[in-house]
């Protein structure tokens, strides 16, 4: 092995706003025209001259190859039709708007299938769904899988006050069942589960403190809700939420799991009511569920997280560049890999930078190896510790300090 085959498990793409129109059912065209005419994009990066990185396939391939990346898992980024922003968590206030938003997500998914087809075997597109109607979500999972989207689904958040059932609810069992049946990964991306915080000056700081925690909730909701007991083949991927928090949180969940199961067998204790019925419904311990069913999209993995890789699970970690976001490592992904992984055994680096993602998302690793033989970072290069951070690097991967942070 002279070069690493690097698959980014966290990239983002989407169509330019008006380019979604051909992918909408015709009956929505007039409504789309009216909506698009008044829409104001809230995101500066989608107005900049670099916005076409989201939809310009040739530019994207060239920039990723220059960055040493040969394949990508493609999460959404631009705004789908009829949405005020990219957030999927808030329920639509009316039936009409709900139907329009589903039409917008189907349009994005159709566009994404075509976009992935422009770089065969190099893109695993992540389909978007809503949770308000699980039967409709199941239909979209089947349709997008048949259309060639291999990145799974993006699981929306269900924050407090959202108006939809919490993720531990068995109402979602049909969705987990079809994902298990079709081997469709369930992806939960950071930032997609926080409740609205308002416009007070402290809102941004509170968001930064809480946003990853709200994203982590999907793990313990599905564990304690018994989703993995009823669907043992279900795969959950937690992406761009960090990875250093995992060992401690899994240990904490194991503690509560054991405590609740034990309490259920002692009817005279004050805690017995909390454990009643849980012993049978939860199934395996959280650490066993993590071992058998869960993965982490460890976007731009930080140096302080790397020593925890064995506790996280070396076969669980999938590096991501977060292209084309400002917080991503591009165009310095080689330097990002060096600052995190220099000095590690090459076989471990190969697993975290490509092998694990190929297994989870079904990439043809042999085919990608042939591309990486030309553009992938060399083993010798990544083995060299990074002594100087590029002065214009914007990714938190290069932030100083952080040696004791584990969340």
């Amino acid at each position: 092995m002279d070069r690493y085959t690097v698959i980014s498990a966290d990239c983002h793409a989407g169509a330019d706003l008006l380019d979604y129109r051909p992918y909408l059912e015709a009956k929505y065209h007039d409504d789309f025209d009216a909506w698009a005419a008044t829409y104001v994009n809230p995101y500066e990066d989608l107005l900049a001259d670099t916005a076409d990185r989201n939809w310009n396939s040739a530019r994207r391939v060239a920039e990723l190859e220059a960055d040493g990346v040969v394949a990508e898992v493609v999460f959404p980024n631009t705004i789908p039709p009829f949405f005020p922003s990219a957030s999927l968590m808030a329920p639509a206030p009316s039936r009409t708007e709900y139907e329009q938003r589903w039409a917008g997500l189907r349009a994005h998914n159709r566009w994404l299938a075509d976009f992935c087809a422009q770089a065969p075997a190099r893109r695993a597109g992540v389909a978007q769904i809503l949770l308000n109607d699980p039967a409709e979500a199941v239909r979209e999972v089947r349709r997008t899988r048949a259309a060639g989207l291999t990145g799974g689904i993006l699981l929306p958040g269900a924050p407090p006050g959202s108006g939809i059932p919490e993720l531990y609810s068995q109402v979602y069992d049909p969705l987990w069942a079809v994902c298990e049946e079709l081997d469709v990964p369930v992806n939960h991306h950071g930032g997609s589960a926080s409740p609205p915080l308002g416009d007070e000056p402290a809102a941004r700081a509170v968001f930064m403190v809480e946003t990853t925690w709200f994203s982590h909730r999907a793990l313990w909701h599905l564990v304690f809700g018994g989703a993995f007991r009823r669907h043992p083949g279900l795969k959950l991927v937690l992406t761009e939420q960090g990875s250093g928090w995992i060992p401690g949180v899994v240990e904490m969940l194991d503690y509560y799991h054991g405590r609740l199961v034990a309490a259920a067998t002692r009817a005279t204790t004050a805690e017995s009511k909390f454990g009643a019925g849980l012993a049978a419904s939860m199934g395996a311990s959280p650490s066993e569920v993590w071992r058998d069913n869960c993965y982490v999209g460890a976007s731009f993995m930080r140096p302080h997280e790397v020593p925890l890789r064995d506790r996280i699970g070396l076969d669980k970690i999938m590096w991501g560049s977060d292209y084309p976001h400002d917080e991503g490592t591009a165009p310095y992904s080689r330097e990002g890999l060096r600052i995190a992984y220099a000095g590690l055994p090459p076989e471990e680096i190969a697993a975290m930078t490509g092998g694990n993602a190929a297994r989870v998302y079904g990439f043809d690793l042999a085919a990608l190896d042939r591309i990486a033989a030309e553009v992938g970072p060399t083993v010798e290069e990544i083995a060299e510790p990074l002594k100087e951070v590029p002065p214009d690097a914007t990714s938190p991967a290069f932030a100083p300090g952080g040696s004791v942070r584990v969340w």
Side-chain angles (χ1 to χ4, degrees), residues 121 124 145 150 183 185 235 356-365 368:
R145 190 67 181 86
T150 58
D183 194 25
K235 291 192 292 193
N356 294 336
R359 175 166 41 85
V360 172
Y361 293 105
F363 286 102
D364 183 344
L365 199 54
L368 296 178

Side-chain angles (χ1 to χ4, degrees), residues 130-134 137-138 155 157-158 162-178 222 227 230-231:
L130 291 172
L131 293 177
N132 307 60
D133 182 349
V138 167
L155 179 65
S162 68
I164 61 175
E166 296 279 7
L167 292 178
Y168 54 69
S169 173
Q170 292 190 36
V171 72
Y172 301 122
D173 265 12
L175 178 59
W176 312 143
V178 72
L222 268 64
R230 296 187 299 276
H231 309 284

Side-chain angles (χ1 to χ4, degrees), residues 31 61 64-65 90 118 146 155 159 168 227 230 242 250-251 259 267-269 286 306 331 334-335 345 348 364 385 400:
D31 290 341
V61 169
L64 286 172
E65 286 189 353
Q118 293 181 55
L155 179 65
Y168 54 69
R230 296 187 299 276
V250 171
E251 289 175 5
R259 180 173 165 180
T268 58
T269 67
V306 176
R334 288 178 169 84
E335 288 81 358
E348 294 189 6
D364 183 344

Side-chain angles (χ1 to χ4, degrees), residues 246-334:
I246 292 169
V249 166
V250 171
E251 289 175 5
M252 177 194 71
L253 298 180
D254 269 349
Y255 165 75
Y256 280 108
H257 178 273
R259 180 173 165 180
L260 291 169
V261 169
T265 66
R266 297 194 293 270
T268 58
T269 67
E271 284 193 340
S272 61
K273 60 181 178 293
F274 291 100
L278 283 172
S281 66
M282 288 189 297
S285 69
S287 58
E288 291 173 302
V289 170
W290 180 263
R291 180 196 66 200
D292 296 338
N293 301 90
C294 302
Y295 304 86
V296 57
S299 308
F300 41 82
M301 199 172 186
R302 280 77 156 183
H304 69 272
E305 297 171 305
V306 176
L308 298 171
R309 63 192 183 281
D310 289 327
R311 293 177 61 197
I312 297 167
L314 188 63
D315 61 335
K316 303 293 180 183
I317 298 168
M318 301 180 291
W319 177 89
S321 70
D322 199 29
Y323 175 94
H325 288 169
D326 287 344
E327 65 267 27
T329 52
Y332 300 113
S333 290
R334 288 178 169 84

